[in-house]
Amino acid sequence: MIILEEEKESISLLRYLVNVPPAQLINVLLLLAAFLWAWIVRFLLRHSIDIGAVVQLSHPWDQFAANNARLKTQSTRFTTYLARVILPLTLLTNILHSYIEENKDANALVVLMYTLLPLGQAAFLILSILKTCGVVRYCVKRCLVIESSPRALRNVYILFSDTVTSFNKPIIDFALYLTYLLGIQITHFDLFLAVIPPLIRLCQCLKEYKTTKEFTLLANALKYSCHLPVVLCLWYSRVYGDDSLTIRDYNILKVMMFIQSTYSYIWDVRKDWTITSISSIRYQKSRVLFPKFYYHIAIVMDGIMRYWWLWIIILAPYDVSGKPTALFFEKEAQFIELIRRAGWVVFKLESEYSTRDSDAINYQKESR
């Protein structure tokens, strides 16, 4: 009985930490992303995958040339450093949020502190990340001008840009919070932001296609363009009201979301992970670097998490307005997406390492 009570308290604390205000969500997810990256580094190195061969770890202007050992140490230290700052502030933000919800006439200083805390944390996180990693800082400045060579640098662009797409909803929430904070009313500002991450990847694919003429880049661009009809439908519902959308319109929206998820899921497995067979994984056995059941689990879990929105529609309870809520806790889809992205990164880098070209090998030799 005591054990059950302790488990209930742990679950309650976990839900309390993840059920954060919308403005705070991006900070919690950035911290989670740092934890996941530290785990990815340890996981890949444990399986003898040289991360430096497929991801450019440092830039010439960095003070110290990075290598796998330093990456492992720094990622752990950096994550611990961020956690020591963000976790207490997240707890404080949640406490203030609950207090203000219960006390509508809360002290003005308390309200001001609650309002500014997410902004301060976001600034701290972003500046810390950019300060710590010069190659990310370099790619952020040139995200639309993707460099296809060397391959290791291109992979940094891809990892960064694709990860940003996983932060789509939290970025929208944070941007709306900023407009509220600044007292600026911009119509459909969140929908405008919603198309920026996929548009970045779309532009990158088209730019690379212009240079290389590889058809797969056009197919990849089409994958990111599938996001645009969904946003257009949301815009239409806002302009003309939800009542303007008939059952048929909602069904069309679900079909478009299903096409987008299916296209992305197939691309994950077949193209990004280069998995060609369930039984043999890849045609060349030497290119299979993990135990086979790793790939099987990854394929299943990626599918489950890709269609999480569908499971919510089918299985989650509905609120008074007739909209589905969540299976476990509010905003769970954002956490699920980030975890899915971490799994994608693991098998993307494993695939890159198993098929690395001469440029990557040369970079590996130079970085040692």
Side-chain angles (χ1 to χ4, degrees), residues 268-269 271-275 282 298 302 343-344 347-348 351:
D268 286 348
V269 177
K271 294 297 183 181
D272 291 335
W273 299 350
T274 60
I275 294 176
R282 299 188 179 107
D302 190 69
W344 176 86
F347 288 89
K348 170 66 174 176
S351 173

Side-chain angles (χ1 to χ4, degrees), residues 156 183 187 266 354:
V156 177
T187 306
I266 294 173
S354 69

Side-chain angles (χ1 to χ4, degrees), residues 293-316:
F293 75 91
Y294 280 23
Y295 301 92
H296 298 154
I297 293 174
I299 291 171
V300 172
M301 294 306 298
D302 190 69
I304 292 174
M305 291 186 280
R306 270 286 183 193
Y307 294 97
W308 197 261
W309 61 271
L310 182 59
W311 313 137
I312 290 177
I313 292 175
I314 296 174
L315 302 174

